Amino acid sequence: MASATYPFTAIVGMDDMRLGLLLNAVSPAIGGVLVRGEKGTAKTTSVRSLAALLPEVVTVADCRFSCDPAAPDPTCPDGPHAGGPGDARPARMVELPVGASEDRLVGALDIERALGEGVKAFEPGLLAAAHRGVLYVDEVNLLGDHLVDSLLDAAATGVSSVEREGVSVRHASRFLLVGTMNPEEGELRPQLLDRFGLTVEVAASREPDERVEVVRRRLSFDEDPAAFTAKWAAEEETLRERIAAARALLPSVRLGDGALRRIAAVCAGFEVDGMRADIVTARTSSALAAWAGRTDVLTEDVRQAALLSLPHRRRRNPFDAPGLDEDKLDEILNGFEDEEPDPEPEPEGPDDDGPGDGGPEGGGPDGGGQRPPQDGPGSDGTPDMPQQRQEPAESGTGSESTDAPESAPATGEAPEAPAVAASAPFRTRRLDVPGLGEGADGRRSRARTAHGRTTGSRRPRGALSRLHLAATVQAAAPHQRARGRSGPGLLVRRDDLREAVREGREGNLVLFVVDASGSMAARKRMSAVKGAVLSLLLDAYQRRDKIGMITFRGAGAEVALPPTSSVDAGAARLEKLPTGGRTPLAAGLLRAHEVLRVERLRDPSRRPLLVVVTDGRATGGPEPLRRAARAARLLAGEGTASVVVDCEQGPVRLGLAAELGRELRGPVVTLDELRADSISALVHTVRTTHTRRAA
């Protein structure tokens, strides 16, 4: 027996999330919705509840690709279809697991039958199952690049293509794309982010009464799902009818020139890239009007649509918090007050207040144009707003602090200096790990991957997905006479198949070890150091790396950021980093050794790159430089690829960072040499123990 689905109308608060989902149910052309927020905020529950509210889908009988009988897909692998009344079924919600294979997503072609029999034996994938339904990706920010590429192609064209050595299968794949993510686990690839029509931020309510109601309803549902669902059945049916009514009204909604000018002015005012933002905002405004039971788009609809469609499109780099300046939005829209107003809204019917708005506990969603936009992600008005999350970056912490001493005395602690702001980031040269890895797809170091240039062939390991045609023919050719071949075609057996070995790029674990001691505390120097680390963090984001950060100062070292995919979390920790105290370099290196040891157990295929940002000085305890050298040799002895960013400045230099680089058996680059546009920034590959020994 299938498990009961939590009713959509029973969800407490989360108005913006529910409105975004409902607008996509009214107008799938909006392009889906991305739900961003902390864990435990009913993101997945809401998406699964939405599917039960969608209208039924009529499909061609026995078609695995959900063709519409009124307009069947001419390229359908199960076609051609003769037409007919078709069969009605509920709309599907298909979940795409983060760890799915490419064949699971796009479908698999039987290569052996295609070569030997000339038959296109195709097993549909998730893109076929999601056609005319919902494709849901939980933790979409963790999706592999190979899946993102296929998803982008289908979302852009409405067609899924499977190509295998000249044999191709195409079928329609149009779906409502819904993704959920926790920003703490990393940001989303910009190309995929732009494919989501709307984005909403969610956070748990801070109001005790609302939290109590959430717990009460959840416990009641878990105790008796059938009874709880029956209690909300009337509200669910009313909301389902309202969605159908809004869908029917949508073609009659008039998007006047006034509304279009407002939309264009808002998108231009926020300097969003391309024209997709204008189109999505226009479609969302129309859906808001239909949801409110109107045929004219009002300024309130444009405002609400902009708050849903623009926040994720105004970001220029991963360190920008999503969000929209509502004061600026109002200023742009108020500039149209002297123009001819849009027509007045039509009189509202008795049901225009909206099914689902007033359920037993007041948990239903509001309609666009019928309420002012929410101040935050929930109805409780919590302070977790995008604008407020931007404040630390804008405040420039430590902007009025005085310069700290260039170096700490041999004995005693240097006073702690407040955190200083980082200098502007720049494009860095690529630092990669030598050799050939087999880690996760990325853009840093060479690796054997599922995509890339073909470098050889081998017998397949498991199901064949990447056929090496020439090698397969070469393996089968000598046996054709023995197999009794008498006509055209090639007799291919399983043992003849060869898969392609390809070389591409992998993502690495980039572990930063940052010196925050008194010797680095000069204001200008620390600002430059933070700017360099920020630039490396941005480079790690673009190359799909995991990152971690260790800082050392005073009495020891600490893990400021455990290894994660969230580079913006690393930027936030870096911004608040204070300086001052002794320089326990050995402690920082030993802590890095421990972090890398644990990460090798967790993810043995992901190779690490250690980036030590320091001037090479070491103080505190007996023989600090010697202890630092021993720690460096420990890392080098395990083959850890390392690079030292030398932060020493001034006319007199001790060259201690260069000595550290020799112990780590890795290169040393200055802050100037780290820039990609520097004259001295030659192509540089990090040397490991093996390459040094070979030399």
Side-chain angles (χ1 to χ4, degrees):
M1 179 179 178
S3 58
T5 301
Y6 192 89
F8 190 87
T9 49
I11 297 171
V12 179
M14 306 299 172
D15 290 347
D16 286 344
M17 175 175 65
R18 292 183 295 138
L19 180 61
L21 292 170
L22 289 170
L23 291 177
N24 274 275
V26 172
S27 177
I30 289 174
V33 60
L34 174 66
V35 183
R36 297 166 47 94
E38 59 194 31
K39 51 187 175 291
T41 48
K43 299 188 297 294
T44 302
T45 298
S46 300
V47 176
R48 290 174 176 166
S49 301
L50 175 70
L53 299 174
L54 298 179
E56 287 188 334
V57 176
V58 179
T59 66
V60 173
D62 299 325
C63 177
R64 298 174 297 167
F65 301 86
S66 302
C67 281
D68 185 352
D73 177 15
T75 64
C76 178
D78 285 354
H81 299 302
D87 297 332
R89 62 163 176 77
R92 291 175 181 159
M93 192 198 75
V94 178
E95 295 192 41
L96 170 60
V98 170
S101 66
E102 186 179 11
D103 282 349
R104 182 73 184 100
L105 176 64
V106 302
L109 191 65
D110 191 330
I111 301 295
E112 189 173 355
R113 291 189 63 191
L115 288 177
E117 305 174 26
V119 176
K120 293 183 181 179
F122 183 72
E123 184 64 30
L126 297 179
L127 290 178
H131 181 45
R132 303 176 68 197
V134 179
L135 181 62
Y136 171 53
V137 189
D138 192 15
E139 306 294 350
V140 64
N141 50 324
L142 304 182
L143 203 63
D145 276 0
H146 63 294
L147 299 181
V148 170
D149 291 338
S150 299
L151 198 57
L152 283 174
D153 288 342
T157 64
V159 175
S160 175
S161 301
V162 182
E163 303 285 343
R164 294 290 187 271
E165 299 295 341
V167 181
S168 64
V169 174
R170 295 168 57 87
H171 63 83
S173 181
R174 293 181 293 275
F175 45 81
L176 170 59
L177 181 62
V178 181
T180 58
M181 62 175 282
N182 183 350
E184 294 178 357
E185 297 173 343
E187 282 299 334
L188 193 60
R189 180 171 166 179
Q191 293 91 334
L192 183 56
L193 183 64
D194 188 53
R195 288 295 174 188
F196 286 98
L198 310 179
T199 182
V200 293
E201 296 278 331
V202 295
S205 172
R206 302 300 185 259
E207 292 293 332
D209 290 343
E210 191 164 326
R211 296 175 74 95
V212 166
E213 185 60 28
V214 170
V215 175
R216 180 183 293 120
R217 293 186 187 184
R218 187 70 223 189
L219 293 178
S220 177
F221 175 78
D222 291 341
E223 182 179 350
D224 191 345
F228 186 85
T229 303
K231 175 184 176 181
W232 290 87
E235 285 73 16
E236 290 284 284
E237 183 59 30
T238 304
L239 186 57
R240 188 178 293 108
E241 292 174 357
R242 183 177 178 184
I243 292 173
R247 277 194 172 190
L249 182 62
L250 184 62
S252 302
V253 173
R254 190 179 73 88
L255 190 65
D257 287 344
L260 286 174
R261 290 182 180 275
R262 288 171 171 82
I263 292 169
V266 168
C267 294
F270 283 101
E271 299 179 352
V272 295
D273 295 332
M275 295 298 298
R276 182 174 284 115
D278 302 63
I279 296 171
V280 171
T281 305
R283 288 171 174 166
T284 306
S285 300
S286 298
L288 282 163
W291 181 246
R294 290 184 269 100
T295 56
D296 289 304
V297 174
L298 305 182
T299 301
E300 290 83 353
D301 299 324
V302 175
R303 186 184 192 278
Q304 181 69 63
L307 290 172
L308 293 171
S309 63
L310 298 188
H312 60 303
R313 292 188 166 89
R314 54 157 292 278
R315 304 183 72 190
R316 290 295 179 264
N317 65 66
F319 308 134
D320 292 337
L324 216 60
D325 185 341
E326 295 194 33
D327 291 336
K328 181 177 179 179
L329 175 61
D330 290 334
E331 181 182 347
I332 295 173
L333 292 175
N334 290 339
F336 290 86
E337 288 183 349
D338 296 333
E339 297 185 6
E340 181 181 352
D342 284 316
E344 293 294 325
E346 297 178 356
E348 296 180 352
D351 296 330
D352 284 345
D353 285 339
D357 291 350
E361 306 293 344
D366 274 301
Q370 296 178 326
R371 64 176 176 89
Q374 297 297 308
D375 290 332
S379 62
D380 56 334
T382 67
D384 188 16
M385 295 187 296
Q387 288 77 12
Q388 289 177 322
R389 285 195 294 272
Q390 289 178 329
E391 287 179 1
E394 295 169 355
S395 62
T397 307
S399 60
E400 299 180 359
S401 63
T402 58
D403 290 355
E406 271 290 304
S407 61
T411 60
E413 289 289 337
E416 179 177 304
V420 299
S423 62
F426 52 84
R427 189 168 65 90
T428 66
R429 58 197 289 185
R430 188 177 72 200
L431 303 169
D432 54 13
V433 179
L436 198 61
E438 293 186 348
D441 285 348
R443 296 182 178 179
R444 184 171 296 277
S445 304
R446 294 174 55 220
R448 295 186 181 92
T449 60
H451 306 275
R453 64 186 183 90
T454 301
T455 59
S457 64
R458 66 185 179 191
R459 291 182 181 274
R461 301 174 180 177
L464 177 66
S465 60
R466 306 182 303 274
L467 178 73
H468 194 296
L469 183 59
T472 299
V473 172
Q474 187 176 9
H479 308 290
Q480 296 305 296
R481 180 174 297 178
R483 293 173 183 173
R485 174 188 171 191
S486 57
L490 192 67
L491 297 180
V492 180
R493 304 284 170 82
R494 179 68 184 175
D495 291 342
D496 301 328
L497 298 179
R498 299 292 184 269
E499 67 179 5
V501 176
R502 294 175 179 169
E503 181 179 312
R505 293 277 174 180
E506 67 176 358
N508 299 109
L509 167 60
V510 182
L511 182 61
F512 296 93
V513 180
V514 182
D515 186 346
S517 65
S519 68
M520 302 284 289
R523 177 180 176 79
K524 184 177 179 181
R525 181 191 301 184
M526 199 60 203
S527 177
V529 168
K530 284 189 174 183
V533 177
L534 194 65
S535 303
L536 290 167
L537 284 171
L538 181 58
D539 181 69
Y541 165 76
Q542 294 169 338
R543 299 190 187 281
R544 311 290 179 260
D545 295 318
K546 289 181 67 175
I547 59 112
M549 186 182 299
I550 294 171
T551 62
F552 59 93
R553 57 181 291 274
E558 66 173 349
V559 180
L561 182 70
T564 176
S565 298
S566 178
V567 295
D568 52 344
R573 303 293 173 87
L574 179 69
E575 179 189 355
K576 300 176 182 178
L577 179 65
T579 58
R582 298 180 185 273
T583 313
L585 177 57
L589 297 175
L590 290 174
R591 181 59 64 90
H593 176 269
E594 177 61 21
V595 170
L596 294 178
R597 183 188 66 81
V598 174
E599 285 302 307
R600 286 190 184 98
L601 297 175
R602 292 177 177 171
D603 190 357
S605 64
R606 188 181 289 269
R607 298 186 295 164
L609 173 61
L610 185 67
V611 179
V612 185
V613 185
T614 181
D615 57 8
R617 301 185 187 187
T619 60
E623 299 182 325
L625 286 174
R626 184 169 295 180
R627 288 189 291 110
R630 286 200 298 267
R633 287 194 292 270
L634 175 64
L635 286 161
E638 294 185 348
T640 302
S642 306
V643 61
V644 176
V645 179
D646 184 0
C647 303
E648 190 173 29
Q649 295 177 343
V652 179
R653 304 193 180 192
L654 301 178
L656 297 176
E659 293 182 13
L660 177 63
R662 284 192 289 271
E663 297 292 353
L664 286 170
R665 298 177 184 172
V668 179
V669 296
T670 65
L671 292 176
D672 289 337
E673 292 171 340
L674 192 61
R675 294 178 178 270
D677 55 358
S678 172
I679 296 177
S680 59
L682 304 176
V683 178
H684 216 302
T685 301
V686 180
R687 298 178 182 177
T688 61
T689 304
H690 305 291
T691 57
R692 265 302 174 97
R693 288 176 178 173

